[in-house]
Amino acid sequence: EYATLLARSGRFEQAHAALQFAANAAAGDPDRLQFIGRTYLHLHRFHEALPLFDRALALAPRHGQAMAGRGAAYDALMQTDLAMSAYSASLEFDPNDRWVALRLAALKAQRGATHESGQILATYLKREPNDSVTLLRDALLLPVINDSVAMIEAARDRYAHRFEALAHRPLSISTREMPLVPATF
């Protein structure tokens, strides 16, 4: 927390030193290690965050937040396969993690795995059927490449049907959540 305050005041080198000290002091505490790793993520020091998540996972192999942090670090480093693997494992440990489900679904969709992306969103919507962001993400899900005219027509029909269903629901998305909604045409 002290390191976060230092970083917010622009004292990044001091924040880094404070984080290193905290990481050494928290050597046996997976919760604290993953928290420090997340602080490194906020400082855009992704390579330094990874070993902290690894240490947390060595202590607690099913630590969902540490695995999600690992995924976020790989994601930021554009190592998509490793990010998706970590996010998938994180969802096995904590299937209710909305951010991880949305991020994994987005990566799958970007890779052209629209069906898999839709399955992730559908699984989350079974638990939280009124989640506005997830409903909108699901409605906006379109294949990156269509193999045929029939596939284009099916995608258009799905898109229209999902948006028609949303028109009859009260949706509310906070300004803070807007980055979770993908840009579309």
Side-chain angles (χ1 to χ4, degrees):
E1 291 138 22
Y2 176 63
T4 303
L5 292 173
L6 289 169
R8 285 185 184 157
S9 66
R11 297 162 56 188
F12 297 110
E13 290 307 315
Q14 290 172 313
H16 177 63
L19 287 172
Q20 286 179 321
F21 177 80
N24 289 333
D29 184 348
D31 291 328
R32 193 81 181 133
L33 288 168
Q34 75 82 29
F35 177 81
I36 296 164
R38 286 182 181 278
T39 304
Y40 271 117
L41 290 178
H42 291 295
L43 294 173
H44 298 264
R45 296 182 86 133
F46 310 116
H47 287 289
E48 291 165 290
L50 279 169
L52 293 165
F53 296 127
D54 291 342
R55 285 171 49 195
L57 289 163
L59 294 166
R62 297 188 56 82
H63 198 293
Q65 290 178 323
M67 189 60 78
R70 177 190 265 173
Y74 283 131
D75 199 352
L77 293 167
M78 292 188 249
Q79 295 182 21
T80 306
D81 290 334
L82 293 171
M84 288 192 304
S85 178
Y87 287 148
S88 293
S90 177
L91 285 177
E92 288 178 25
F93 308 149
D94 183 4
N96 296 318
D97 192 323
R98 175 185 186 229
W99 185 89
V100 171
L102 290 173
R103 192 62 199 134
L104 179 59
L107 290 176
K108 293 275 188 183
Q110 288 170 7
R111 283 283 177 100
T114 310
H115 180 72
E116 290 176 41
S117 179
Q119 287 179 319
I120 294 164
L121 295 171
T123 299
Y124 187 80
L125 284 169
K126 284 179 186 173
R127 283 189 284 283
E128 297 292 334
N130 297 314
D131 184 280
S132 296
V133 171
T134 309
L135 286 165
L136 190 54
R137 296 278 311 244
D138 183 57
L140 291 170
L141 186 61
L142 289 169
V144 175
I145 297 173
N146 292 288
D147 295 331
S148 65
V149 171
M151 190 174 176
I152 293 170
E153 289 174 0
R156 286 180 180 163
D157 288 345
R158 180 188 183 282
Y159 189 86
H161 174 75
R162 297 286 164 98
F163 268 98
E164 179 65 28
L166 289 179
H168 303 290
R169 297 181 81 138
L171 294 178
S172 175
I173 299 174
S174 72
T175 306
R176 184 177 60 81
E177 292 181 306
M178 285 308 293
L180 297 174
V181 178
T184 187
F185 57 89

